[in-house]
Amino acid sequence: LIKSCKELVRYLRNRKKSALTQYNKLLQRMERAKQKRKGQSFSVKLVQASKEAARAEALYRHVSILSSWLQYDILQLPGHNPIDREMLFDFVLEELSTVADALPRITAFVASLKHQKENLLAASHVLNQKFQQIAARYRVTAQDVWDVCYVTRYDIQTPKYHNKADALTSQLGSRFEEIEEELLSAIAATPRCSSIVENFNSRLRPYLDPRKQITSRRLKLVRFYLNHQVFLRSEHSYMQGKTPAEVLTGTPHPNWLEMLGVKPFKQAA
């Protein structure tokens, strides 16, 4: 959805530039016509182009600001608590609905927001459960943990981070750094999208025949293969050249074909 949001803003920006270009072209034509005392022939078109450019500019600014709030204040994990996110989400949805009639693309985007609201905000509710556990361990409120979470939005090198962090440190004391460390781990372990499922499906799809119903026996074989096939690449060095089973158990194992009882062919020297 964020991708769709960015594409919508880019479309409106290009539309605004096109309207401004059209206005400038008419203005140049009118200046040349004035030299021939025929400038009035472009006056009506120029007024219309000016209004169109102003409408395109206003629409772009309106949607751009709302999309920025959606990306960075609602859907980004470090941020507000779920209740505030829902209020912000409803506000953005209502504001976008006021201009939805201007373009079909905005109407389609608003419809997507309405249908996906629960799923889009689900990650914040999962995070809230983890934050409640952190709050219980340190004997603070869940909102205190969310306040610390909001501070992590800022770069640690910026004055804004330190100003907000100092205010919370005076309130929480040494617990601030401990809470911050735990919530950062919780955020890292909380996916915001369906990429994990999509990654699994992409690995599983080549082994499934869409024309046949997969059997339990075949599914077990596919699962066995995926668990014992060496990773071709990984961003984590400790996983490179190993299988998921080796990473999980910490012990090496033979080739997956040998584990199934198949003897590998060895060419005579």
mmCIF file of all heavy atoms in Angstrom, residues 56-75:
data_model
loop_
_atom_site.group_PDB
_atom_site.id
_atom_site.type_symbol
_atom_site.label_atom_id
_atom_site.label_comp_id
_atom_site.label_asym_id
_atom_site.label_seq_id
_atom_site.Cartn_x
_atom_site.Cartn_y
_atom_site.Cartn_z
ATOM 1 N N ALA A 56 -4.491 21.763 -9.422
ATOM 2 C CA ALA A 56 -3.548 20.647 -9.415
ATOM 3 C C ALA A 56 -2.516 20.809 -8.302
ATOM 4 O O ALA A 56 -2.146 19.839 -7.637
ATOM 5 C CB ALA A 56 -2.848 20.543 -10.768
ATOM 6 N N GLU A 57 -2.066 22.040 -8.078
ATOM 7 C CA GLU A 57 -1.113 22.317 -7.001
ATOM 8 C C GLU A 57 -1.727 22.046 -5.636
ATOM 9 O O GLU A 57 -1.100 21.412 -4.770
ATOM 10 C CB GLU A 57 -0.643 23.775 -7.096
ATOM 11 C CG GLU A 57 0.189 24.262 -5.926
ATOM 12 C CD GLU A 57 1.592 23.676 -5.917
ATOM 13 O OE1 GLU A 57 2.048 23.227 -6.990
ATOM 14 O OE2 GLU A 57 2.223 23.671 -4.848
ATOM 15 N N ALA A 58 -2.952 22.516 -5.433
ATOM 16 C CA ALA A 58 -3.625 22.315 -4.143
ATOM 17 C C ALA A 58 -3.895 20.837 -3.889
ATOM 18 O O ALA A 58 -3.714 20.342 -2.763
ATOM 19 C CB ALA A 58 -4.930 23.107 -4.124
ATOM 20 N N LEU A 59 -4.309 20.110 -4.924
ATOM 21 C CA LEU A 59 -4.592 18.674 -4.770
ATOM 22 C C LEU A 59 -3.319 17.904 -4.447
ATOM 23 O O LEU A 59 -3.319 17.015 -3.585
ATOM 24 C CB LEU A 59 -5.227 18.139 -6.055
ATOM 25 C CG LEU A 59 -5.686 16.671 -6.024
ATOM 26 C CD1 LEU A 59 -6.745 16.458 -4.962
ATOM 27 C CD2 LEU A 59 -6.207 16.256 -7.398
ATOM 28 N N TYR A 60 -2.237 18.244 -5.127
ATOM 29 C CA TYR A 60 -0.956 17.582 -4.860
ATOM 30 C C TYR A 60 -0.489 17.823 -3.426
ATOM 31 O O TYR A 60 -0.073 16.889 -2.730
ATOM 32 C CB TYR A 60 0.104 18.069 -5.849
ATOM 33 C CG TYR A 60 1.509 17.732 -5.423
ATOM 34 C CD1 TYR A 60 1.977 16.423 -5.465
ATOM 35 C CD2 TYR A 60 2.373 18.735 -4.961
ATOM 36 C CE1 TYR A 60 3.267 16.112 -5.065
ATOM 37 C CE2 TYR A 60 3.659 18.431 -4.561
ATOM 38 C CZ TYR A 60 4.104 17.115 -4.611
ATOM 39 O OH TYR A 60 5.378 16.810 -4.206
ATOM 40 N N ARG A 61 -0.546 19.054 -2.971
ATOM 41 C CA ARG A 61 -0.111 19.372 -1.611
ATOM 42 C C ARG A 61 -0.977 18.660 -0.576
ATOM 43 O O ARG A 61 -0.475 18.124 0.416
ATOM 44 C CB ARG A 61 -0.165 20.894 -1.385
ATOM 45 C CG ARG A 61 0.919 21.664 -2.107
ATOM 46 C CD ARG A 61 0.858 23.147 -1.776
ATOM 47 N NE ARG A 61 1.936 23.891 -2.390
ATOM 48 C CZ ARG A 61 3.143 24.022 -1.869
ATOM 49 N NH1 ARG A 61 3.413 23.471 -0.694
ATOM 50 N NH2 ARG A 61 4.080 24.718 -2.489
ATOM 51 N N HIS A 62 -2.270 18.637 -0.817
ATOM 52 C CA HIS A 62 -3.206 18.019 0.132
ATOM 53 C C HIS A 62 -2.917 16.525 0.270
ATOM 54 O O HIS A 62 -2.748 16.014 1.386
ATOM 55 C CB HIS A 62 -4.636 18.239 -0.359
ATOM 56 C CG HIS A 62 -5.687 17.832 0.615
ATOM 57 N ND1 HIS A 62 -5.979 18.552 1.750
ATOM 58 C CD2 HIS A 62 -6.522 16.755 0.640
ATOM 59 C CE1 HIS A 62 -6.936 17.956 2.428
ATOM 60 N NE2 HIS A 62 -7.287 16.856 1.771
ATOM 61 N N VAL A 63 -2.839 15.821 -0.842
ATOM 62 C CA VAL A 63 -2.617 14.374 -0.817
ATOM 63 C C VAL A 63 -1.205 14.052 -0.359
ATOM 64 O O VAL A 63 -0.983 13.068 0.349
ATOM 65 C CB VAL A 63 -2.901 13.770 -2.204
ATOM 66 C CG1 VAL A 63 -2.584 12.274 -2.222
ATOM 67 C CG2 VAL A 63 -4.356 13.998 -2.597
ATOM 68 N N SER A 64 -0.236 14.886 -0.738
ATOM 69 C CA SER A 64 1.150 14.639 -0.350
ATOM 70 C C SER A 64 1.332 14.688 1.165
ATOM 71 O O SER A 64 2.008 13.837 1.758
ATOM 72 C CB SER A 64 2.067 15.659 -1.020
ATOM 73 O OG SER A 64 3.405 15.463 -0.626
ATOM 74 N N ILE A 65 0.723 15.684 1.801
ATOM 75 C CA ILE A 65 0.821 15.808 3.260
ATOM 76 C C ILE A 65 0.144 14.619 3.946
ATOM 77 O O ILE A 65 0.691 14.025 4.886
ATOM 78 C CB ILE A 65 0.193 17.130 3.730
ATOM 79 C CG1 ILE A 65 1.035 18.313 3.244
ATOM 80 C CG2 ILE A 65 0.072 17.166 5.252
ATOM 81 C CD1 ILE A 65 0.419 19.667 3.522
ATOM 82 N N LEU A 66 -1.030 14.249 3.468
ATOM 83 C CA LEU A 66 -1.755 13.128 4.070
ATOM 84 C C LEU A 66 -1.004 11.810 3.881
ATOM 85 O O LEU A 66 -0.954 10.973 4.788
ATOM 86 C CB LEU A 66 -3.154 13.029 3.459
ATOM 87 C CG LEU A 66 -4.107 14.183 3.778
ATOM 88 C CD1 LEU A 66 -5.401 14.029 2.990
ATOM 89 C CD2 LEU A 66 -4.411 14.242 5.274
ATOM 90 N N SER A 67 -0.409 11.629 2.717
ATOM 91 C CA SER A 67 0.348 10.400 2.472
ATOM 92 C C SER A 67 1.597 10.336 3.345
ATOM 93 O O SER A 67 2.006 9.262 3.787
ATOM 94 C CB SER A 67 0.744 10.309 0.996
ATOM 95 O OG SER A 67 1.662 11.327 0.661
ATOM 96 N N SER A 68 2.194 11.491 3.613
ATOM 97 C CA SER A 68 3.353 11.536 4.499
ATOM 98 C C SER A 68 2.962 11.125 5.916
ATOM 99 O O SER A 68 3.677 10.363 6.579
ATOM 100 C CB SER A 68 3.957 12.941 4.503
ATOM 101 O OG SER A 68 5.055 13.020 5.373
ATOM 102 N N TRP A 69 1.833 11.621 6.399
ATOM 103 C CA TRP A 69 1.336 11.204 7.720
ATOM 104 C C TRP A 69 1.054 9.705 7.741
ATOM 105 O O TRP A 69 1.342 9.018 8.725
ATOM 106 C CB TRP A 69 0.071 11.976 8.070
ATOM 107 C CG TRP A 69 0.313 13.434 8.339
ATOM 108 C CD1 TRP A 69 1.525 14.044 8.536
ATOM 109 C CD2 TRP A 69 -0.668 14.462 8.438
ATOM 110 N NE1 TRP A 69 1.368 15.383 8.737
ATOM 111 C CE2 TRP A 69 0.024 15.680 8.697
ATOM 112 C CE3 TRP A 69 -2.041 14.504 8.336
ATOM 113 C CZ2 TRP A 69 -0.625 16.886 8.849
ATOM 114 C CZ3 TRP A 69 -2.700 15.718 8.483
ATOM 115 C CH2 TRP A 69 -2.001 16.885 8.745
ATOM 116 N N LEU A 70 0.473 9.222 6.656
ATOM 117 C CA LEU A 70 0.134 7.799 6.590
ATOM 118 C C LEU A 70 1.383 6.930 6.677
ATOM 119 O O LEU A 70 1.405 5.933 7.407
ATOM 120 C CB LEU A 70 -0.626 7.510 5.292
ATOM 121 C CG LEU A 70 -1.084 6.061 5.065
ATOM 122 C CD1 LEU A 70 -2.130 5.667 6.096
ATOM 123 C CD2 LEU A 70 -1.637 5.894 3.663
ATOM 124 N N GLN A 71 2.431 7.314 5.963
ATOM 125 C CA GLN A 71 3.644 6.503 5.924
ATOM 126 C C GLN A 71 4.437 6.589 7.215
ATOM 127 O O GLN A 71 4.910 5.566 7.724
ATOM 128 C CB GLN A 71 4.526 6.956 4.762
ATOM 129 C CG GLN A 71 3.953 6.665 3.392
ATOM 130 C CD GLN A 71 4.867 7.158 2.290
ATOM 131 O OE1 GLN A 71 6.029 6.745 2.185
ATOM 132 N NE2 GLN A 71 4.370 8.050 1.452
ATOM 133 N N TYR A 72 4.605 7.799 7.748
ATOM 134 C CA TYR A 72 5.560 8.003 8.829
ATOM 135 C C TYR A 72 4.938 8.130 10.219
ATOM 136 O O TYR A 72 5.648 7.967 11.217
ATOM 137 C CB TYR A 72 6.412 9.244 8.534
ATOM 138 C CG TYR A 72 7.160 9.133 7.232
ATOM 139 C CD1 TYR A 72 6.811 9.914 6.133
ATOM 140 C CD2 TYR A 72 8.193 8.219 7.075
ATOM 141 C CE1 TYR A 72 7.485 9.800 4.927
ATOM 142 C CE2 TYR A 72 8.872 8.099 5.872
ATOM 143 C CZ TYR A 72 8.512 8.890 4.806
ATOM 144 O OH TYR A 72 9.175 8.770 3.611
ATOM 145 N N ASP A 73 3.646 8.406 10.307
ATOM 146 C CA ASP A 73 3.014 8.540 11.611
ATOM 147 C C ASP A 73 2.029 7.423 11.924
ATOM 148 O O ASP A 73 1.671 7.231 13.085
ATOM 149 C CB ASP A 73 2.271 9.879 11.710
ATOM 150 C CG ASP A 73 3.228 11.064 11.727
ATOM 151 O OD1 ASP A 73 4.109 11.082 12.589
ATOM 152 O OD2 ASP A 73 3.096 11.942 10.868
ATOM 153 N N ILE A 74 1.589 6.697 10.892
ATOM 154 C CA ILE A 74 0.574 5.656 11.111
ATOM 155 C C ILE A 74 1.133 4.263 10.861
ATOM 156 O O ILE A 74 1.001 3.370 11.710
ATOM 157 C CB ILE A 74 -0.655 5.904 10.215
ATOM 158 C CG1 ILE A 74 -1.281 7.262 10.541
ATOM 159 C CG2 ILE A 74 -1.688 4.793 10.384
ATOM 160 C CD1 ILE A 74 -2.422 7.662 9.618
ATOM 161 N N LEU A 75 1.788 4.079 9.727
ATOM 162 C CA LEU A 75 2.237 2.741 9.350
ATOM 163 C C LEU A 75 3.650 2.418 9.816
ATOM 164 O O LEU A 75 4.030 1.247 9.845
ATOM 165 C CB LEU A 75 2.152 2.576 7.831
ATOM 166 C CG LEU A 75 0.746 2.713 7.228
ATOM 167 C CD1 LEU A 75 0.775 2.469 5.733
ATOM 168 C CD2 LEU A 75 -0.230 1.765 7.901
#
